[in-house]
Amino acid sequence: MFADRAKIIIRSGKGGDGHVSFRREKYVPNGGPDGGDGGKGGDVIFEIDKGASALSDYRHKRKFSATPGEEGKKRNCHGKNGEDLILKVPEGTVIKEAKSGKVIADMSGENSHVIVLEGGRGGLGNQHYATSTMQAPKYAQPGGEGIELEVLLELKVLADVGLVGFPNAGKSTLLSRVSNAKPEIASYPFTTLHPILGVVDTGDGKGFVMADIPGLIEGAADGVGLGHEFLRHIERTKVLVHMVDGASVDGRDPVEDIEAIQKELFRYSENLLKKPQIICVNKLDACTEDADEIIEKIRDRYEKDSTKVMPLSAVSGQGVNELIREIAKLLSEMDDAPYVYEQEYDPKEHVFEEEAFTVTVNSDGEFVVEGPKIEKMLGYTNLESEKGFLFFQKFIREQGIEAEMKKLGINEGDTVRMYGLVFEYYE
Ligand SMILES: Nc1nc2c(ncn2[C@@H]2O[C@H](COP(=O)(O)OP(=O)(O)OP(=O)(O)O)[C@@H](O)[C@H]2O)c(=O)[nH]1
Ligand SMILES: [Mg+2]
């Protein structure tokens, strides 16, 4: 099956912990601290793979993790950095945060290599914590946590032109005629099962990309048939080519067909109907009734500034060059940068959000400081030792906790509570 959507869990590597150790030398009983720093955790990076056209690699495996950094070692040895995890995706893959559906990165255009999750930083070894009064620090910094996130990968192909229409209208026949693509063509509906891109050479050194998607039927916007799944692939296109069987080969009425497709496009997204559209009245070679009459009828109803009606035969080639010229003209009047989705969600901010602290003043006028990061910090800091206490003070300042308490009006001598710890505040 063609995979153009996948939900996976990605995880960056945890940073390696800093190491606690002391030099050991013969006849030197108490060597100085020599605990090395931990290595940085691996990042999760997405990269465009120009050769890939589907997200099949992500269909059968759910979880993808970068490796953690190694712990620091004795003799000032730095732990090895974790390896980055590089996930290759086809161009046009949009990475979204699974719960909110917000865009993290759009792997299109310039964004060919994006670090989506950073690995945790390596912790500092105890050698960094020696001072003149604390020469044997037993504290080393733990490595930063890795980040885990569920993401949705959605492939929205990058094409300039999107081909839409009922099954059997002749979309694939047209694509095979004007481009290098070789889509399957058959006289039954739903021959095309997934989007196919073709490059159309316009002869002037330029060209454009045309996407053929499975035929749409009524209810497509609600998920009927195959079309709905694939409408997202034409969201980024600049021009829509709407094909209709003008010869009623399947006994359908062209005007009713056009109407039904327009309705589905509109229901999927109003933006689709805002794009310039060319209605191609196809299969002219097979018309038994008066072709001019059918074309006139369609022109009367649909032709306006943003919609052009063009007669065509994808099989005989009649009208095909005119169509390509018209598409090229429309595209030349438009901005040629591909549409790239903006970032709406930054995993880094999200982590900060989770780790943030709160300061509240209770009924006794005490300042209560809470938050998972503070709890963690207290867990690894020995406040009895001078070094530990200095570290604690620095933490309170650097995390902005002191500033927050000042904002709430703390004065010298006021009481501060933190997870069972009670002390008086002095600047
Ligand atoms: N006579 C005639 N037949 C055509 C023309 N264009 C396409 N056909 C035939 O119509 C049938 C369907 O063509 P396709 O190109 O597979 O149609 P499609 O729109 O891609 O269909 P789906 O992939 O099912 O959505 C085939 O048997 C084609 O040979 C045309 O201009 N004239
Ligand atoms: Mg087809």
Side-chain angles (χ1 to χ4, degrees):
M1 195 199 150
F2 177 77
D4 65 351
R5 251 166 98 91
K7 215 188 230 182
I8 58 168
I9 294 170
I10 52 176
R11 187 180 175 83
S12 59
K14 179 190 173 303
D17 295 338
H19 192 65
V20 177
S21 59
F22 298 94
R23 256 191 302 282
R24 276 160 186 272
E25 284 164 58
K26 262 187 188 167
Y27 315 118
V28 183
N30 292 315
D34 71 350
D37 303 344
K40 182 185 162 298
D43 299 336
V44 177
I45 298 169
F46 279 82
E47 232 174 56
I48 293 179
D49 177 358
K50 290 272 185 196
S53 59
L55 291 165
S56 330
D57 293 354
Y58 305 98
R59 274 311 256 244
H60 305 293
K61 199 176 152 193
R62 269 280 284 165
K63 197 160 173 179
F64 297 83
S65 311
T67 52
E70 262 178 22
E71 197 191 329
K73 298 183 196 99
K74 55 190 180 195
R75 295 203 199 97
N76 297 334
C77 279
H78 201 282
K80 229 169 64 192
N81 288 344
E83 241 172 79
D84 294 340
L85 176 72
I86 297 183
L87 298 173
K88 301 251 187 191
V89 291
E91 180 161 26
T93 301
V94 181
I95 305 161
K96 294 177 169 177
E97 195 272 323
K99 265 188 237 105
S100 62
K102 288 186 176 162
V103 175
I104 300 171
D106 180 353
M107 304 303 295
S108 306
E110 311 264 282
N111 301 337
S112 61
H113 178 102
V114 178
I115 299 175
V116 168
L117 295 182
E118 267 172 51
R121 48 129 192 79
L124 297 175
N126 71 334
Q127 51 163 324
H128 296 275
Y129 295 91
T131 61
S132 53
T133 48
M134 167 59 90
Q135 294 187 346
K138 291 212 179 60
Y139 170 77
Q141 192 184 30
E145 290 296 327
I147 309 170
E148 183 171 290
L149 195 67
E150 189 175 29
V151 294
L152 183 66
L153 308 181
E154 274 187 355
L155 180 58
K156 295 179 193 257
V157 299
L158 289 172
D160 305 296
V161 181
L163 271 169
V164 295
F166 263 87
N168 250 356
K171 301 178 292 297
S172 302
T173 308
L174 176 72
L175 187 76
S176 73
R177 188 167 188 105
V178 301
S179 79
N180 57 345
K182 306 237 169 326
E184 207 179 317
I185 295 164
S187 59
Y188 49 83
F190 297 119
T191 307
T192 303
L193 297 174
H194 57 77
I196 294 174
L197 300 184
V199 181
V200 181
D201 185 353
T202 46
D204 52 0
K206 286 197 205 151
F208 57 82
V209 177
M210 187 143 112
D212 176 23
I213 65 166
L216 304 172
I217 52 174
E218 251 167 303
D222 298 322
V224 180
L226 294 167
H228 165 77
E229 265 293 297
F230 299 105
L231 276 170
R232 95 171 77 91
H233 292 289
I234 56 168
E235 276 176 44
R236 298 201 217 230
T237 59
K238 294 170 189 152
V239 173
L240 292 185
V241 170
H242 177 168
M243 287 216 107
V244 63
D245 174 357
S248 304
V249 172
D250 294 340
R252 320 173 53 92
D253 175 51
V255 172
E256 274 174 28
D257 279 4
I258 296 171
E259 202 55 41
I261 297 294
Q262 303 287 45
K263 219 161 84 191
E264 292 308 320
L265 295 176
F266 183 77
R267 286 184 57 206
Y268 180 78
S269 151
E270 287 178 37
N271 282 337
L272 292 185
L273 273 201
K274 287 188 191 138
K275 298 180 196 284
Q277 203 182 105
I278 302 174
I279 297 177
C280 287
V281 186
N282 191 28
K283 307 198 185 180
L284 282 190
D285 59 286
C287 274
T288 45
E289 286 170 52
D290 188 356
D292 291 338
E293 212 174 286
I294 297 165
I295 294 157
E296 255 349 279
K297 203 162 127 195
I298 296 174
R299 276 219 168 101
D300 277 354
R301 248 186 117 123
Y302 295 101
E303 199 147 65
K304 54 177 185 211
D305 278 354
S306 62
T307 313
K308 213 172 150 79
V309 175
M310 297 185 79
L312 193 90
S313 166
V315 162
S316 80
Q318 184 197 344
V320 170
N321 287 340
E322 288 84 342
L323 171 68
I324 298 306
R325 270 203 297 277
E326 181 62 25
I327 296 172
K329 186 174 141 252
L330 280 173
L331 289 174
S332 70
E333 291 161 1
M334 298 165 87
D335 178 11
D336 48 66
Y339 183 79
V340 176
Y341 293 90
E342 301 278 334
Q343 182 176 35
E344 301 166 331
Y345 183 99
D346 183 349
K348 260 186 285 180
E349 276 169 27
H350 181 70
V351 168
F352 179 68
E353 216 170 80
E354 268 192 344
E355 299 230 312
F357 60 87
T358 56
V359 181
T360 46
V361 184
N362 69 14
S363 53
D364 295 330
E366 297 168 335
F367 290 76
V368 182
V369 184
E370 283 169 315
K373 202 166 179 176
I374 291 156
E375 197 176 6
K376 235 189 265 167
M377 181 273 299
L378 288 173
Y380 62 67
T381 308
N382 177 11
L383 295 171
E384 307 282 302
S385 81
E386 187 199 358
K387 185 71 224 175
F389 192 72
L390 284 175
F391 172 76
F392 168 77
Q393 281 186 317
K394 201 167 140 230
F395 182 92
I396 298 294
R397 213 170 307 123
E398 281 179 358
Q399 295 292 315
I401 297 167
E402 186 172 16
E404 185 65 25
M405 292 194 295
K406 278 186 177 166
K407 224 170 31 190
L408 291 170
I410 198 162
N411 289 312
E412 301 243 328
D414 282 347
T415 303
V416 178
R417 283 185 179 273
M418 274 183 206
Y419 293 95
L421 193 77
V422 184
F423 57 91
E424 283 179 12
Y425 173 76
Y426 289 103
E427 262 188 64

